[in-house]
């Protein structure tokens, strides 16, 4: 599998990015102007993949949790029912994809860089993860929701599905249960 061969590098404060434009000014700005300060302040860690000429893709991860206080009772019961009774708690650990961008030159190509990157993150979280996390979360841009749905992510409850369908809000909360790949 190609994603097994990819070597995403962890951002260092001295790193100089090769050209990158994913077509979204917020993501571009984050990469070039904010990713190092987020990393320096221990708020997120950014990883990237480059070839000789370009930054192909990048993503930033941070800690997160799925908590009862943020969800409807019915959706929270759905989450709790994924666990044996002895493991019921008020929150469950997750890793958040804070940013994910694919250079426009590499979007919609046969390599499917976005999907390859999500597959990498999913496997990485269950094999090389340094802490426990059951879920991957993302606040997906409205335009990215179909991409995340295609890659197995679900809406964080009926309210988030309705937000997406009514185009209310800039982002939609979604999650992926890592037990799907174990």
């Amino acid at each position: 599998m190609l994603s097994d061969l990819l070597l995403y590098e962890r951002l260092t404060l001295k790193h100089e990015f090769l050209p990158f434009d994913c077509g979204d000014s917020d993501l571009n700005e984050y990469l070039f102007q904010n990713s190092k300060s987020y990393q320096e302040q221990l708020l997120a860690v950014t990883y990237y993949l480059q070839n000789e000429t370009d930054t192909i893709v990048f993503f930033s991860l941070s800690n997160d949790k799925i908590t009862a206080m943020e969800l409807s009772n019915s959706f929270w019961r759905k989450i709790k029912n994924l666990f044996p009774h002895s493991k019921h708690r008020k929150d469950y650990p997750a890793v958040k994809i804070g940013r994910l961008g694919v250079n426009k030159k590499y979007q919609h190509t046969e390599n499917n860089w976005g999907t390859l990157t999500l597959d990498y993150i999913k496997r990485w979280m269950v094999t090389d993860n340094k802490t426990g996390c059951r879920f991957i979360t993302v606040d997906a841009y409205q335009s990215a929701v179909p991409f995340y749905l295609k890659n197995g992510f679900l809406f964080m409850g009926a309210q988030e599905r309705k937000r997406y369908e009514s185009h209310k809000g800039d982002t939609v909360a979604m999650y992926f249960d890592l037990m799907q790949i174990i």
Side-chain angles (χ1 to χ4, degrees):
M1 180 177 272
L2 179 59
S3 60
D4 291 333
L5 304 174
L6 299 176
L7 296 174
Y8 294 85
E9 295 187 49
R10 182 180 171 139
L11 179 65
T12 65
L13 298 180
K14 295 178 182 178
H15 180 72
E16 295 296 325
F17 287 106
L18 293 176
F20 179 86
D21 178 10
C22 68
D24 182 288
S25 60
D26 180 53
L27 289 172
N28 293 338
E29 181 181 319
Y30 176 82
L31 180 64
F32 289 113
Q33 297 176 14
N34 300 323
S35 60
K36 290 179 182 179
S37 64
Y38 270 66
Q39 192 146 315
E40 195 171 39
Q41 293 300 312
L42 305 178
L43 297 173
V45 178
T46 297
Y47 298 87
Y48 60 91
L49 183 66
Q50 295 183 160
N51 61 19
E52 303 78 34
T53 59
D54 298 301
T55 300
I56 298 170
V57 62
F58 84 94
F59 61 92
S60 292
L61 301 177
S62 60
N63 294 320
D64 198 11
K65 63 182 176 179
I66 296 178
T67 179
M69 294 173 49
E70 298 171 354
L71 304 172
S72 68
N73 287 336
S74 61
F75 186 70
W76 180 246
R77 280 192 299 277
K78 178 181 175 180
I79 293 294
K80 272 182 32 176
N81 288 338
L82 295 172
F83 298 89
H85 183 71
S86 64
K87 302 295 182 215
H88 284 188
R89 0 177 336 166
K90 294 182 182 179
D91 58 50
Y92 293 99
V95 65
K96 179 180 241 24
I97 299 173
R99 301 286 195 286
L100 173 78
V102 178
N103 190 322
K104 284 192 306 190
K105 289 171 64 175
Y106 301 93
Q107 293 174 9
H108 310 293
T109 63
E110 65 183 37
N111 285 332
N112 298 308
W113 290 104
T115 295
L116 281 172
T117 301
L118 282 181
D119 289 346
Y120 175 86
I121 294 167
K122 290 171 185 176
R123 278 194 317 285
W124 194 29
M125 288 300 111
V126 296
T127 57
D128 295 332
N129 194 358
K130 306 266 189 273
T131 66
C133 74
R134 170 72 182 257
F135 303 100
I136 298 174
T137 60
V138 64
D139 293 330
Y141 290 139
Q142 287 273 344
S143 61
V145 167
F147 165 73
Y148 284 103
L149 288 170
K150 180 183 87 167
N151 284 284
F153 281 72
L154 302 171
F155 293 104
M156 195 84 73
Q159 291 173 333
E160 291 299 315
R161 177 185 295 277
K162 287 177 188 170
R163 274 174 52 129
Y164 171 66
E165 291 170 350
S166 66
H167 303 287
K168 291 186 178 173
D170 294 333
T171 61
V172 177
M174 302 182 79
Y175 75 101
F176 181 86
D177 185 352
L178 288 165
M179 290 300 284
Q180 292 181 54
I181 63 169
I182 292 181

